[in-house]
């Protein structure tokens, strides 16, 4: 397996709107990010992934871009960006940009021109236009994907909100525009791209209806849009024309893919992308991919999904490791225990994730064990997906208000988007103004300032995990084997490389559990590596405490 810096790195995701506000308008910004680079350096991460900072009317918080080569006014200026990039590089931190090119904003110049129609209009086919809706596809944000445009007197396709029209990737001019724009950013010196829903760019010819899903046709269009007929061809073209010319890192967000597709995208000799964000493990507990339910997840299922990906991509591909991002509820609330065992379970989950094979991603605040937020009413939610889902679920699917609020409380994307908790001053130190979204009131006990000072904090635990990775070939390149796959409370695995081995034991429950090491470790001498309780000498029988994680090394 080829060794590269992006396999040895840890990535930190910043959601700029909620990170740090430098001028008191209640919205995080670039100068705010620059002022916190030392904090990230202290944590020890290598790469920062910035959620979109481009000009945008913010229908979907920057994932609707109206100018790919300008900075969103609320976030600052291009000079602020350049300064941030320079300051990051000075500290040895790399910057990976979000690339949102499945769709643009309807306020993008390309769309404004495209709306005009006309035979000689070069922008005419930049988007997907039809005389009438040609299928029954539904948008991922609810409602039909077809929107009538008064000016062109035609319908355009939008897989997300109606202010996010899909670009027509089958038009070579569109692809060239995108490559030109990517090159412009790379020439500026950025270090990579995270590609938003990149596996939706190629749609099946004729845009046919698929088989309706059971219950409702929520994802009926998936088979026609997910990894469509030209998907790999377009990625390879992009790689040839742009990516291969730079030493960068790429990760494609790919919805509804399995590990077979994951392999095709990430295998080195196919020259597409370095890694993908797959969704199977974070969709655990959903019903047919429909997330608005409070149904509990099964640990056995979670393990079998992660195992499948670890094995599938082991030879020539590469995994990303994440549970948190700006679209997911907080992992400590979801897979851990955000009450009595918050610190223990946050550290346990981090151990479990960071010691698998792949590149780990930390979402802002995860390193503090930040939790989901309790919103008091629907009006406190800001996220377009949550608000639209409330409408559909209560109006069409018969959910009660109370049940839907519980679903939102558990799953809304806004759980991730409450402001970063810096200290105990008003608004958690995020802003001196009125924050654009509610601050989680638990900032008085969960905040960066306290944790940086406290050696026993979740922050310091992350620091240690990152540091371990930086000094261990076994952690980066070792093979993975899942142990006790059927156990309903323990997540146990081993890593091995040459003569070295590592045993990772994670208790996903609040029960005390008696554990017997598997046969392959019997008679061996283990050495303590890391854990979330006091170090314990190795023995073949152990009793695990609630949410305990222990890691032993064997040479
Ligand atoms: O997410 C893709 C995506 O599929 C999510 O919207 C997903 O459906 C949802 O979060 C599951 O609850 C990307 C971005 O990460 C997201 O923030 C954007 O809203 C979306 O694309 C559109 O650009
Ligand atoms: Ca601001």
């Amino acid at each position: 397996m080829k060794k590269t810096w992006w396999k040895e790195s840890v990535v930190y995701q910043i959601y700029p709107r909620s990170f740090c506000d430098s001028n008191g308008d209640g919205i995080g910004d670039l100068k705010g990010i620059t002022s916190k680079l030392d904090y990230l350096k202290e944590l020890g991460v290598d790469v920062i992934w910035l959620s979109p900072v481009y000009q945008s009317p913010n229908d979907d918080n920057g994932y609707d871009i109206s100018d790919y080569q300008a900075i969103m006014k609320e976030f600052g200026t291009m000079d602020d960006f350049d300064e941030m990039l320079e300051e990051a590089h000075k500290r040895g931190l790399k910057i990976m940009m979000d690339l949102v090119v499945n769709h643009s904003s309807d306020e993008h110049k390309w769309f404004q021109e495209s709306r005009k129609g006309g035979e000689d209009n070069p922008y005419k086919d930049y988007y997907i236009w039809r005389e009438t809706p040609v299928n029954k596809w539904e948008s991922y944000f609810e409602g039909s994907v077809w929107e009538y445009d008064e000016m062109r007197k035609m319908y355009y396709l939008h897989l997300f909100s109606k202010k996010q029209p899909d670009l027509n990737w089958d038009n070579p001019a569109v692809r060239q525009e995108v490559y030109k724009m990517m090159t412009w950013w790379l020439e500026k010196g950025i270090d990579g791209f995270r590609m938003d829903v990149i596996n939706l760019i190629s749609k099946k010819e004729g845009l046919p209806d698929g088989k309706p899903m059971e219950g409702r046709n929520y994802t009926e269009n998936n088979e026609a849009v997910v990894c469509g007929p030209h998907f790999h061809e377009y990625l390879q073209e992009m790689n040839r024309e742009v990516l291969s010319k730079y030493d960068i890192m790429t990760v494609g967000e790919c919805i509804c893919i399995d590990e077979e597709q994951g392999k095709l995208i990430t295998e080195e000799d196919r020259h597409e992308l370095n890694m993908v964000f797959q969704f199977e493990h974070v969709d655990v507990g959903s019903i047919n991919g429909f997330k608005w339910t409070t149904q509990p997840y099964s640990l056995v299922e979670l393990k079998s999904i992660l195992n499948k990906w670890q094995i599938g991509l082991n030879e020539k591909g590469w995994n990303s490791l994440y549970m948190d991002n700006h679209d997911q509820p907080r992992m400590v609330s979801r897979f851990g225990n955000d009450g009595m065992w918050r610190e223990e379970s946050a550290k346990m989950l981090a151990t479990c994730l960071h010691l698998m094979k792949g590149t780990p991603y930390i979402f802002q605040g995860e390193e503090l064990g930040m939790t989901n937020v309790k919103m008091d009413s629907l009006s406190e939610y800001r996220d377009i997906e949550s608000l639209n889902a409330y409408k559909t679920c209560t109006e069409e699917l018969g959910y009660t208000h109370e049940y839907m609020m519980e679903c939102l409380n558990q799953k809304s994307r806004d759980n991730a988007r409450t402001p970063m908790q810096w200290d105990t001053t008003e608004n958690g130190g995020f802003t001196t103004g009125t924050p654009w979204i509610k601050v989680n009131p638990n900032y008085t006990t969960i905040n960066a300032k306290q944790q940086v000072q406290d050696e026993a904090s979740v922050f310091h635990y992350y620091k240690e995990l990152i540091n371990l990775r930086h000094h261990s070939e076994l952690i980066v390149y070792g093979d993975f084997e899942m142990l006790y796959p059927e156990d309903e409370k323990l997540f146990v695995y081993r890593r091995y490389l040459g003569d070295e081995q590592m045993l990772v034991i994670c208790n996903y429950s609040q029960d005390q559990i008696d554990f017997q090491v598997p046969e392959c470790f019997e008679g061996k001498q283990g050495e303590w590596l890391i854990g979330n309780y006091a170090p314990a000498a190795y023995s073949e029988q152990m009793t695990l405490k609630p949410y305990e994680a222990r890691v032993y090394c064997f040479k």
Side-chain angles (χ1 to χ4, degrees):
M1 166 152 295
K2 223 170 87 204
K3 294 184 180 166
T4 48
W5 61 266
W6 46 263
K7 292 180 181 164
E8 297 166 7
S9 293
V10 176
V11 185
Y12 188 92
Q13 181 191 356
I14 292 183
Y15 194 67
R17 208 172 184 76
S18 303
F19 193 60
C20 178
D21 173 23
S22 71
N23 63 351
D25 66 355
I27 296 170
D29 46 54
L30 291 169
K31 277 194 184 329
I33 296 173
T34 306
S35 75
K36 297 295 184 187
L37 291 173
D38 286 329
Y39 168 81
L40 298 179
K41 194 63 200 164
E42 161 86 21
L43 179 59
V45 296
D46 309 279
V47 182
I48 297 170
W49 152 28
L50 275 188
S51 275
V53 295
Y54 314 94
Q55 186 177 300
S56 162
N58 280 308
D59 188 51
D60 185 20
N61 286 356
Y63 283 91
D64 48 319
I65 297 168
S66 53
D67 185 340
Y68 290 99
Q69 280 160 249
I71 297 295
M72 193 189 302
K73 284 209 180 59
E74 294 167 320
F75 289 174
T77 63
M78 195 55 87
D79 285 342
D80 295 338
F81 179 87
D82 292 341
E83 191 193 354
M84 182 207 63
L85 184 64
E86 198 186 320
E87 290 298 320
H89 283 168
K90 260 192 218 162
R91 290 166 176 78
L93 294 164
K94 295 184 188 296
I95 300 283
M96 177 163 71
M97 300 289 280
D98 220 307
L99 181 77
V100 190
V101 289
N102 171 69
H103 44 269
S104 72
S105 163
D106 64 337
E107 296 181 32
H108 194 288
K109 186 191 117 198
W110 298 337
F111 190 78
Q112 290 305 316
E113 290 300 318
S114 195
R115 293 179 67 195
K116 295 177 186 160
E119 267 317 299
D120 307 327
N121 181 348
Y123 296 97
K124 170 172 70 92
D125 295 323
Y126 265 46
Y127 295 84
I128 300 169
W129 294 96
R130 292 291 184 275
E131 296 293 340
T132 53
V134 296
N135 57 36
K136 297 196 288 292
W137 295 2
E138 281 187 42
S139 142
Y140 292 108
F141 289 162
E142 320 288 317
S144 166
V145 298
W146 295 103
E147 182 71 15
Y148 184 68
D149 181 63
E150 283 296 343
M151 188 186 283
R152 182 142 169 189
K153 306 229 176 313
M154 286 176 91
Y155 291 81
Y156 65 88
L157 178 110
H158 61 91
L159 292 180
F160 292 89
S161 99
K162 59 177 190 248
K163 286 186 68 61
Q164 293 168 299
D166 282 52
L167 283 159
N168 177 14
W169 273 71
D170 294 333
N171 179 349
V174 167
R175 304 203 299 275
Q176 287 308 318
E177 290 269 18
V178 170
Y179 303 158
K180 209 169 76 192
M181 175 272 285
M182 292 171 71
T183 302
W184 185 85
W185 280 102
L186 288 164
E187 286 299 315
K188 223 181 205 319
I190 64 149
D191 306 287
F193 289 112
R194 172 270 186 191
M195 304 182 184
D196 194 65
V197 287
I198 196 67
N199 69 322
L200 302 182
I201 57 176
S202 168
K203 280 90 178 162
K204 222 184 215 175
E205 205 173 324
L207 312 175
D209 277 320
K211 288 190 238 52
M213 299 285 296
E214 212 177 299
R216 62 195 292 258
N217 55 0
Y218 182 67
T219 47
E220 179 171 342
N221 38 309
N222 274 353
E223 58 188 88
V225 300
V226 169
C227 305
H230 302 289
F231 170 53
H232 295 286
E233 175 192 324
Y234 294 160
L235 280 185
Q236 284 169 12
E237 179 184 81
M238 179 197 281
N239 188 297
R240 214 167 40 241
E241 299 202 14
V242 186
L243 307 175
S244 61
K245 300 184 175 152
Y246 301 86
D247 181 21
I248 53 169
M249 164 170 177
T250 54
V251 49
E253 187 203 32
C254 293
I255 68 172
C256 307
I257 62 163
D258 59 16
E259 76 285 4
E260 289 306 322
Q261 272 295 340
K263 281 199 237 182
L264 293 178
I265 302 165
T266 67
E267 286 189 353
E268 269 158 14
D269 47 8
R270 291 178 44 87
H271 304 287
E272 297 188 8
L273 303 177
N274 297 153
M275 58 192 115
V276 295
F277 290 136
Q278 55 90 14
F279 282 71
E280 289 192 289
H281 67 304
V282 289
D283 283 344
V284 67
S286 294
I287 299 170
N288 278 335
F290 188 63
K291 76 178 198 180
W292 303 111
T293 161
T294 57
Q295 170 177 289
Y297 81 100
S298 127
L299 182 65
V300 173
E301 193 187 339
L302 179 72
K303 288 192 291 186
S304 105
I305 296 167
L306 290 171
N307 182 43
K308 193 172 74 130
W309 280 86
Q310 288 283 307
I311 302 302
L313 272 53
N314 185 51
E315 291 294 319
K316 288 191 276 169
W318 191 253
N319 270 293
S320 71
L321 305 171
Y322 81 95
M323 276 187 171
D324 267 358
N325 65 33
H326 65 293
D327 292 334
Q328 297 298 328
R330 291 285 179 178
M331 74 180 191
V332 68
S333 301
R334 187 171 180 199
F335 299 110
N337 176 317
D338 63 8
M340 182 160 170
W341 305 105
R342 186 186 63 84
E343 289 188 41
E344 289 81 359
S345 63
K347 293 175 186 172
M348 181 279 288
L349 291 168
T351 315
C352 188
L353 206 61
H354 279 240
L355 298 183
M356 283 191 264
K357 185 171 182 178
T359 299
Y361 287 73
I362 301 169
F363 178 66
Q364 64 184 46
E366 178 189 329
E367 78 281 16
L368 308 175
M370 272 179 64
T371 68
N372 279 355
V373 64
K374 176 97 186 66
M375 298 294 193
D376 296 317
S377 73
L378 187 65
S379 65
E380 290 186 322
Y381 284 101
R382 297 284 175 271
D383 169 32
I384 183 170
E385 182 197 50
S386 305
L387 296 171
N388 288 352
Y390 178 90
K391 212 167 169 293
T392 316
C393 291
T394 55
E395 289 174 10
E396 290 168 30
L397 301 179
Y399 285 35
T400 62
H401 168 77
E402 288 69 27
Y403 182 64
M404 189 59 198
M405 287 301 282
E406 186 48 36
C407 289
L408 289 171
N409 182 245
Q410 287 187 19
K411 299 274 186 69
S412 169
R413 309 197 296 182
D414 279 343
N415 284 305
R417 301 176 181 185
T418 63
M420 178 69 178
Q421 295 167 201
W422 294 106
D423 54 38
T424 54
T425 62
E426 207 186 342
N427 299 318
F430 163 69
T431 179
T432 54
T434 308
W436 71 277
I437 188 171
K438 177 173 167 167
V439 178
N440 194 323
N442 63 17
Y443 70 84
T444 51
T445 51
I446 306 172
N447 63 70
K449 189 163 178 211
Q450 278 176 4
Q451 295 201 22
V452 169
Q453 288 161 3
D454 174 7
E455 295 274 317
S457 64
V458 179
F459 176 87
H460 275 269
Y461 195 85
Y462 268 85
K463 209 175 142 168
E464 203 181 331
L465 279 172
I466 296 166
N467 189 47
L468 281 176
R469 169 170 289 262
H470 285 157
H471 294 98
S472 165
E473 295 240 319
L474 171 65
I475 295 177
V476 180
Y477 296 108
D479 284 330
F480 172 97
E481 186 191 3
M482 184 70 80
L483 301 166
Y484 303 115
E486 298 304 325
D487 194 290
E488 287 167 13
K489 291 176 180 166
L490 298 182
F491 194 135
V492 187
Y493 59 89
R494 81 179 174 112
R495 301 285 309 278
Y496 54 101
L497 184 74
D499 298 335
E500 266 191 277
Q501 289 204 71
M502 184 168 79
L503 173 62
V504 181
I505 312 157
C506 297
N507 180 0
Y508 269 66
S509 82
Q510 51 184 317
D511 304 335
Q512 288 223 4
I513 298 182
D514 289 326
F515 175 75
Q516 164 78 43
V517 300
E519 255 170 50
C520 55
F521 287 99
E522 274 172 21
K524 294 212 158 80
Q525 257 321 306
E527 233 179 86
W528 176 264
L529 187 66
I530 188 173
N532 59 355
Y533 286 82
Y538 177 75
S539 73
E540 296 186 353
Q541 301 250 357
M542 43 188 118
T543 302
L544 299 167
K545 300 189 185 69
Y547 294 102
E548 181 162 8
R550 290 187 186 196
V551 184
Y552 294 99
C553 268
F554 301 80
K555 289 213 172 85

